């Protein structure tokens, strides 16, 4: 006898935890696939003769592909629903990642990096919408924090595992191995959700549908508040994601497996920041503090923690440098966790995928610009100081932008 289909609300706590764990794992795979090229940059660059500007160009094209795709992926996710958006997205970016194993020329790499960026753009709106569907409202902050922590775990695993895999199968084989894991994940998701319904059917008579207080998304202050904050904050995140291995290589002469320890510690800080950013906000909300005070308070504290980042150039101490980088990445993830939670707070569920994707589009535009600028700045011999000076104030500017457009955050349920 066939088991009946269940809605998410009817699932057991164990079944919800399984779905949440799969979403977290997808985030890890997403980050590992994109990080292979940065961790193995010295090896690939030596093999293919890339300059810093070449690498910056590839990073910019990746961000450009993702940015353009974010204009569509939010709509796709809202249209497909998370049941199908999850496996389609993961399978698509896994195939794009696998294609790196056969690329030879710069043109081929550009095309593949654009494809990877475009397909990985499914990850953010799908993950946010899935968490909002699977977890109770009072657990969303912790859920977003855990997801961001998982992304940080991916960043930790990448420099630790990727060089070892590359030693066994080469840098080309490393892309193939990582992609195969993604295809296995897609199959696991389809099995786990075969009898799960994530949304109720839409009413046939549209006149009976609940009215909405929102006009087109681009006319909403909430959309532009998130977009501006993502441009400023994500620029720093992508700067460090693509260039941190190169920074440690230049500053301390580290390559290959030796890069694993400082990168793992730095991204370990990011994982801690994600968990703290989500856990503290959940605790404060449960104590009765307003969404406005909690979100903006944590965003401000995180922004202040990034201010010291230029000191890594003058620390003169390996441990201090790693500590400051870990603090910066922790602050970013605490900031990002609460920014995503803010989206879920103030945006209706039926528009959540599109607003999240539009914010991510803007974040990737910031990443695209900073990736290319970084390549040009370093090629010109200016070093990392101009880049880190921008990074130090980017989050404070983002907080100011949110305050300008949204002086008071009002949860969508209260409207």
């Amino acid at each position: 006898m066939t088991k009946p289909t269940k809605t998410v609300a009817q699932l057991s706590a164990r079944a919800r935890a399984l779905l949440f764990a799969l979403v977290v794992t997808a985030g890890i795979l997403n980050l590992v696939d994109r990080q292979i090229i940065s961790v193995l940059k010295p090896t690939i660059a030596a093999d293919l003769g890339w300059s810093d500007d070449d690498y910056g160009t590839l990073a910019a094209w990746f961000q450009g592909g993702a940015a353009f795709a974010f204009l569509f992926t939010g709509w796709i996710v809202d249209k497909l629903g998370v049941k199908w958006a999850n496996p389609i997205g993961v399978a698509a970016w896994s195939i794009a990642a696998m294609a790196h194993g056969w690329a030879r020329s710069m043109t081929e790499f550009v095309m593949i990096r654009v494809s990877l960026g475009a397909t990985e753009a499914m990850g953010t709106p799908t993950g946010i919408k899935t968490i909002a569907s699977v977890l109770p409202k009072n657990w969303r902050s912790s859920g977003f924090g855990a997801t961001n922590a998982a992304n940080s775990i991916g960043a930790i695993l990448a420099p630790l595992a990727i060089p070892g895999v590359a030693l066994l199968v080469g840098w080309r084989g490393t892309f193939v191995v990582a992609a195969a894991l993604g295809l296995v994940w897609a199959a696991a998701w389809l099995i786990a959700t075969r009898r799960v319904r994530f949304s109720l059917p839409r009413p046939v008579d549209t006149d009976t549908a609940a009215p909405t207080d929102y006009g087109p998304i681009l006319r909403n202050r909430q959309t532009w508040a998130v977009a501006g904050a993502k441009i400023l904050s994500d620029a720093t995140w992508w700067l460090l994601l693509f260039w941190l291995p190169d920074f440690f290589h230049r500053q301390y002469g580290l390559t290959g497996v030796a890069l694993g320890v400082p990168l793992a510690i730095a991204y370990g800080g990011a994982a801690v920041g994600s968990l703290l950013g989500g856990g503290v906000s959940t605790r404060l909300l449960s104590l009765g503090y307003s969404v406005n005070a909690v979100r903006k308070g944590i965003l401000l504290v995180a922004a202040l923690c990034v201010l010291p980042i230029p000191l890594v150039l003058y620390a003169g101490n390996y441990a201090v440098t790693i500590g400051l980088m870990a603090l910066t990445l922790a602050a970013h993830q605490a900031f990002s966790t609460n920014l995503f939670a803010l989206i879920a707070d103030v945006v209706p569920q039926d528009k959540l995928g599109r607003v999240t994707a539009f914010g991510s589009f803007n974040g990737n535009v910031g990443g695209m610009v900073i990736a290319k600028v970084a390549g040009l700045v370093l090629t010109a011999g200016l070093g990392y100081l101009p880049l880190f000076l921008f990074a130090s104030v980017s989050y404070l500017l983002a907080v100011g932008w949110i305050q300008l457009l949204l002086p008071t955050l009002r949860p969508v349920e209260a409207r």
Side-chain angles (χ1 to χ4, degrees):
M1 182 176 178
T2 304
K3 293 183 179 180
T5 300
K6 293 183 178 181
T7 64
V8 174
Q10 295 171 324
L11 293 177
S12 66
R14 178 177 294 181
R16 288 190 183 210
L18 172 62
L19 296 180
F20 178 70
L22 284 171
V23 173
V24 168
T25 306
I28 294 175
L29 293 173
N30 187 296
L31 194 139
V32 168
D33 283 343
R34 79 175 67 135
Q35 276 295 87
I36 293 173
I37 198 168
S38 63
V39 173
L40 298 180
K41 174 184 176 283
T43 301
I44 301 174
D47 190 14
L48 301 179
W50 290 349
S51 66
D52 286 331
D53 188 39
D54 290 332
Y55 178 70
T57 297
L58 285 176
W61 275 109
F62 172 86
Q63 296 299 135
F68 181 76
F70 272 124
L71 295 175
F72 304 95
T73 55
W75 179 86
I76 292 171
V77 172
D78 283 339
K79 189 73 173 178
L80 291 177
V82 297
K83 182 168 185 174
W84 292 106
N86 272 293
I88 289 172
V90 175
W93 82 57
S94 296
I95 292 170
M98 188 177 292
H100 287 70
W102 288 272
R104 300 281 176 182
S105 67
M106 178 59 67
T107 300
E108 290 172 344
F109 265 97
V110 166
M111 293 174 62
I112 291 170
R113 292 307 287 179
V114 169
S115 299
L116 182 64
T119 50
E120 285 201 345
M122 286 287 288
T124 300
T126 304
I128 297 300
K129 195 175 181 75
T130 305
I131 291 171
S133 299
V134 170
L135 296 184
K137 293 176 183 177
N138 60 326
W139 280 98
R140 285 178 183 169
S141 295
S142 294
F144 294 137
T147 304
N148 272 348
N151 291 340
S152 300
I153 290 172
I156 294 169
L157 293 176
L160 291 176
I162 288 171
V165 175
L167 287 175
L168 294 175
V169 299
W171 66 262
R172 296 183 182 277
T174 304
F175 283 104
V176 176
V177 170
L181 294 176
L183 296 177
V184 171
W185 185 98
W189 174 269
L190 291 173
I191 293 171
T193 61
R194 64 190 184 282
R195 296 189 183 93
V196 179
R197 181 156 45 89
F198 282 86
S199 60
L200 295 174
R202 293 183 179 274
V204 176
D205 183 1
T206 56
D207 291 334
T208 64
T212 176
D213 295 329
Y214 294 88
I217 287 173
L218 295 182
R219 295 179 185 174
N220 293 340
R221 281 176 170 260
Q222 294 88 340
T223 301
W224 292 106
V226 170
K230 289 289 286 179
I231 285 178
L232 291 163
S233 61
D234 280 15
T236 295
W237 171 253
W238 289 112
L239 170 68
L240 296 180
L241 201 64
F242 281 120
W243 291 96
L244 193 55
D246 181 75
F247 168 76
F248 280 117
H249 174 65
R250 291 170 186 261
Q251 199 81 350
Y252 296 103
L254 304 178
T255 58
V257 178
L259 280 168
V261 173
L263 293 176
I265 294 173
Y267 284 107
V272 172
S274 298
L275 295 174
L276 284 176
V280 171
S281 60
T282 295
R283 177 62 177 164
L284 291 175
L285 290 170
S286 69
L287 291 175
Y289 290 93
S290 69
V291 167
N292 186 70
V294 171
R295 298 290 179 234
K296 291 181 179 176
I298 293 178
L299 292 177
L300 179 59
V301 170
L304 293 172
C305 288
V306 182
L307 280 174
I309 187 174
L311 297 179
V312 299
L313 297 170
Y314 308 102
N317 182 289
Y318 182 61
V320 172
T321 299
I322 296 174
L324 286 171
M325 283 300 185
L327 176 63
T328 299
L329 292 173
H332 170 84
Q333 290 293 58
F335 190 99
S336 179
T337 293
N338 281 273
L339 185 56
F340 279 129
L342 183 153
I343 299 173
D345 290 332
V346 302
V347 176
Q349 175 70 18
D350 64 336
K351 294 180 173 68
L352 193 57
R354 280 165 286 171
V355 174
T356 301
F358 186 71
S360 296
F361 158 75
N362 283 273
N364 277 267
V365 168
M368 178 176 63
V369 172
I370 200 68
K372 183 59 179 177
V373 168
L376 293 173
V377 167
L378 294 171
T379 299
L382 300 177
Y384 277 95
L385 180 59
L387 302 170
F388 288 166
L389 285 174
F390 161 77
S392 69
V393 299
S394 59
Y395 295 84
L396 284 175
L397 293 173
V399 173
W401 176 253
I402 291 173
Q403 180 62 26
L404 178 66
L405 290 188
L406 300 176
T408 302
L409 299 178
R410 293 193 299 272
V412 68
E413 296 87 354
R415 300 182 181 195

